[in-house]
Amino acid sequence: MEILEEHDEYPSALPARREVDHSAWITIQIGCDNSCAFCIVPSVRGAEVSRRTGDIVYEVEELARDGVVEITLLGQNVNSYGRDLGAGQYRPQFADLLRAVDAVEGIERIRFTSPHPKDLRAETIAAMAECASVCEHLHLPLQSGSDRTLARMHRGYTAARYLERLAAARDAIDDLAVTTDVIVGFPGETDHDFARTLEVVEAAQYDAAYTFVFSPRPGTEAALMTDDFVAPEVVRERMAQLTEVVEGSARVKHGARLGRVEEVLVDGPSKTDTAMWSGRTRHNKLLHFAPTLLTDSGTVTARAGDLVEVRVTGTAPHWLRGELAGVVRPGPRRKVRIPVEVV
C-alpha cells in the first residue's frame, strides 16, 4: 500500500483529514526509509520524517473536544515512527504514541495504517493489547508468500518471520482481526512462487485481503523488470485462485460472529440499501443493520456518530448484517444556527 501525502510543509503542521464529524485521519509521519521495488514513495517523498508526539497528542485532544471519537494514525510505515526524533538515548516509539493517544479523554477508537512486518516489535503488540482504545484489528501487508519474491521486492522479511510476528500478535490480542495486502504477478513470479503465496495466505487465515495485480510505477525498480513481466492471462488465473482462498477464510471468520453482539460506530445510510444503515465494528468489519429498535419505552433510532450494539444475523465474505440491539454512546450532535432576520 502506498500512502502519498499531499502536504509539503514540515509535518508538525499537518492537518487531520476529516470526512465525517466523528472520525479523523491523522498523519504521524511522511516519507519512507524502505526501498520496496514496487513503491514510488521514497523517491517522491524522501526519508521518513516523524511529527513530534506532543503535536500529535494536542491535535487528538482538539479533535476529541470537537466530538471525534475515532482516529486513524497514518504513515507509510507507522512501526518506524520516532526513529528520527529525540536526543541522546531516548527516542519515542510507535508504542509510546499509541499509549499517549489512548490516554486522551473522549477517544473511543484508535486505528493505524500501515505497519511494516519487519518492524512490528513486541512493544507495539503489547501496547495494542494494553490500550483500551486501540481496536482489535491489524493490517499487516504480506505482498508475497515467496521468500524469493520478497527478496526481489526488498521487503526485509521471510514468510516464516512474517507468520511468527502474526502469531505473536494473535497470542497477545484476544479476538484479533487481521487484514493484508497481496500483489499478484510481481515480475519473475513463478508458479512455485505463487503456490507459496497461497500456502501462506491459507496459513494466515485473514479476515480480508486487498489483492492487487502488479502495475509498474514509473521510477520504480520493478518497472524496469520488463523481461520478467508475467503474462496477463497467467495473472488473471492466479488472482482468481487467490480470491477463492481469501474469501474462504473470510467466510469462516465471519461465520464465527453469527449471533454475537458487536459494537458499531455508525457511519450513516448504506450506499446499496437506503433502508439499512452501516458502520464499522472494532475489528473494522462493515456491518449493515436497520437503524431503529422498538423498546418498552419507545423507539430508539441510531444516528451517524453513535456507538451502538448490533447483533449479527447474517454474513458474507465482505460484510456482516445484523439488528440493532441498543445505543452505547450517542455521537456528537451539531447545533444548527438559524439566521435571524433583523427588521
Side-chain angles (χ1 to χ4, degrees), residues 76-306:
Q76 192 66 32
N77 177 15
V78 294
N79 282 343
S80 63
Y81 168 81
R83 286 179 181 173
D84 56 310
L85 296 177
Q89 294 183 339
Y90 174 74
R91 280 180 173 77
Q93 296 183 352
F94 184 56
D96 301 321
L97 179 62
L98 286 178
R99 289 190 169 92
V101 175
D102 179 66
V104 176
E105 185 177 355
I107 297 300
E108 299 285 343
R109 293 183 174 187
I110 300 170
R111 304 187 187 278
F112 56 87
T113 193
S114 284
H116 197 297
K118 72 179 178 62
D119 296 317
L120 182 59
R121 301 183 180 88
E123 294 86 352
T124 296
I125 294 173
M128 291 180 65
E130 295 165 11
C131 295
S133 299
V134 177
C135 292
E136 297 81 9
H137 170 231
L138 176 64
H139 184 74
L140 196 64
L142 171 65
Q143 306 302 3
S144 175
S146 162
D147 288 348
R148 190 183 79 92
T149 301
L150 288 170
R152 286 165 58 82
M153 289 178 169
H154 307 314
R155 290 292 289 170
Y157 54 85
T158 63
R161 185 59 173 156
Y162 176 95
L163 290 173
E164 287 174 7
R165 297 196 177 190
L166 178 57
R170 281 179 164 148
D171 286 344
I173 304 164
D174 186 46
D175 195 22
L176 179 68
V178 182
T179 56
T180 195
D181 298 332
V182 181
I183 296 174
V184 177
F186 185 81
E189 181 185 69
T190 65
D191 288 342
H192 177 73
D193 292 327
F194 181 68
R196 284 293 298 136
T197 293
L198 290 182
E199 290 172 7
V200 175
V201 170
E202 182 74 41
Q205 288 293 290
Y206 295 113
D207 291 71
Y210 300 93
T211 54
F212 305 90
V213 171
F214 169 75
S215 177
R217 299 293 300 273
T220 63
E221 179 181 343
L224 302 177
M225 301 177 181
T226 53
D227 291 343
D228 292 328
F229 281 7
V230 182
E233 61 273 16
V234 174
V235 173
R236 284 194 296 269
E237 175 59 27
R238 290 176 182 173
M239 180 63 78
Q241 294 180 56
L242 178 60
T243 299
E244 183 177 353
V245 173
V246 169
E247 291 191 349
S249 64
R251 287 190 182 93
V252 172
K253 294 286 187 180
H254 286 184
R257 309 197 87 82
L258 273 173
R260 293 180 54 165
V261 175
E262 302 279 354
E263 181 191 271
V264 175
L265 179 58
V266 182
D267 288 327
S270 168
K271 296 178 181 179
T272 58
D273 183 353
T274 56
M276 304 291 284
W277 278 43
S278 301
R280 294 275 174 177
T281 70
R282 287 180 61 91
H283 303 87
N284 204 33
K285 297 182 182 296
L286 180 64
L287 201 160
H288 304 291
F289 62 96
T292 58
L293 171 67
L294 295 177
T295 68
D296 293 339
S297 56
T299 301
V300 175
T301 302
R303 293 190 282 185
D306 286 351

Side-chain angles (χ1 to χ4, degrees), residues 11-26:
S12 64
L14 291 176
R17 194 183 82 193
R18 296 180 64 181
E19 297 176 353
V20 294
D21 289 336
H22 55 270
S23 184
W25 294 62
I26 301 176

